[in-house]
Amino acid sequence: MKNSYFAILVVVLLSSIPVMYLINEHNMSKKAEESRVAYEQQMKEEENEEQNQRDEVESNQMNSLIDYLRFLSLEKEEIVLSVFGSSVTEGEGATDDSSHWSGLFVSHLEEEEDISPIRLENNGQNGATSRTLVNENLVDDVIEANPDVVLIEPPVIPNYESNFSPEETGSDTMYLVREIEDNLPETLIIIQSSNITASEDLNLIGYSYADYNNYLDELTEETNLNYVDVYTGMEERMESEGMEDVSEWLTDEVHPNDLGYSIWFEILADYASGTALVEE
């Protein structure tokens, strides 16, 4: 009798093994399916979050230059920045490139989050007037570099010294702008004024150095151009610090030293993060 019970028990246990196996396999399949669904849901949420972030970057691109560079960085592994102008763009007076406003600015940009590496193309021309830039087709160097952003510093200092009028300076500047716009329609153009100098006298045609910068300010407003007013920014900095003599920022009467270029950079950096770009 006991053997019969034992035999029945063995049969029951053996017959339950396939059922238990099927149940276990079902549970494992269910867990695998749940894991797959959870993974796909997580991936979908991450994709949605990434897309939302991209949409936000795109919608904010005109809020500032920094925002615009973040927008470009969505698709570009490298951003090309061209600086174009006279000797204060070329770097006259700076100890080295890293002490110049352009070098300081690139280093600053590369510390910002979500901005691709910056390749700087310095197209500054030592001693060039605006007429030199136009007549010698020096804007072609900028066009050849195919920059994403170009900062143009109209040669106000050499034009003042060479007795070209503010109007001639403005006309030449607009010619350079149009050349870039026509050849590089996707390039963002930003105009910069030159630095403050120790020059206070009228030139031979009756204009002060300030007259040129004031005219440039008016011109960029009338033509709806992006504009960094370095000249006024330096004046305001001098006033806030109680400075009466600009010479501590200069190597001579016109070219900034390392300290002067660092002030220029700070004005540019404030503009880059805090000023909305002009809508075309």
Side-chain angles (χ1 to χ4, degrees), residues 50 69 92 130 143 162 217 256 274:
E50 182 179 349
L69 294 175
E92 181 71 21
S130 64
I143 295 169
S162 300
D217 189 4

Side-chain angles (χ1 to χ4, degrees), residues 120-158:
L120 176 65
E121 293 286 337
N122 192 321
N123 300 114
Q125 305 292 329
N126 197 359
T129 64
S130 64
R131 192 56 45 83
T132 305
L133 299 182
V134 170
N135 289 345
E136 296 185 11
N137 299 313
L138 296 177
V139 71
D140 289 349
D141 294 335
V142 176
I143 295 169
E144 184 178 352
N146 192 23
D148 300 293
V149 179
V150 57
L151 293 169
I152 302 177
E153 171 258 322
V156 168
I157 295 173

Side-chain angles (χ1 to χ4, degrees), residues 2-170:
K2 290 182 179 179
N3 290 337
S4 297
Y5 286 139
F6 180 75
I8 293 170
L9 178 61
V10 169
V11 170
V12 170
L13 291 174
L14 289 175
S15 63
S16 67
I17 289 174
V19 176
M20 293 174 63
Y21 173 79
L22 290 174
I23 292 173
N24 185 56
E25 185 178 9
H26 172 73
N27 289 338
M28 290 178 65
S29 298
K30 184 178 180 181
K31 289 181 179 179
E33 177 65 14
E34 290 174 348
S35 297
R36 183 188 66 79
V37 170
Y39 174 76
E40 290 180 353
Q41 180 64 28
Q42 180 183 354
M43 293 299 296
K44 185 176 181 180
E45 290 175 357
E46 290 178 358
E47 288 175 2
N48 288 339
E49 183 178 356
E50 182 179 349
Q51 186 59 51
N52 289 337
Q53 290 174 347
R54 289 177 66 90
D55 291 344
E56 183 178 4
V57 170
E58 184 172 357
S59 64
N60 291 338
Q61 62 179 288
M62 300 302 286
N63 286 357
S64 69
L65 177 56
I66 294 293
D67 288 307
Y68 184 74
L69 294 175
R70 289 194 176 117
F71 167 68
L72 292 181
S73 299
L74 292 175
E75 304 296 338
K76 291 179 175 286
E77 296 182 358
E78 180 185 67
I79 294 172
V80 181
L81 170 66
S82 173
V83 294
F84 183 44
S86 67
S87 57
V88 293
T89 291
E90 185 267 341
E92 181 71 21
T95 301
D96 51 40
D97 292 344
S98 64
S99 302
H100 182 242
W101 64 260
S102 61
L104 293 168
F105 188 51
V106 168
S107 296
H108 170 71
L109 293 178
E110 291 182 337
E111 292 175 357
E112 291 283 339
E113 293 184 358
D114 303 321
I115 292 181
S116 297
I118 307 292
R119 175 162 61 86
L120 176 65
E121 293 286 337
N122 192 321
N123 300 114
Q125 305 292 329
N126 197 359
T129 64
S130 64
R131 192 56 45 83
T132 305
L133 299 182
V134 170
N135 289 345
E136 296 185 11
N137 299 313
L138 296 177
V139 71
D140 289 349
D141 294 335
V142 176
I143 295 169
E144 184 178 352
N146 192 23
D148 300 293
V149 179
V150 57
L151 293 169
I152 302 177
E153 171 258 322
V156 168
I157 295 173
N159 277 22
Y160 160 77
E161 294 177 338
S162 300
N163 303 301
F164 291 106
S165 70
E167 290 77 14
E168 289 172 307
T169 304

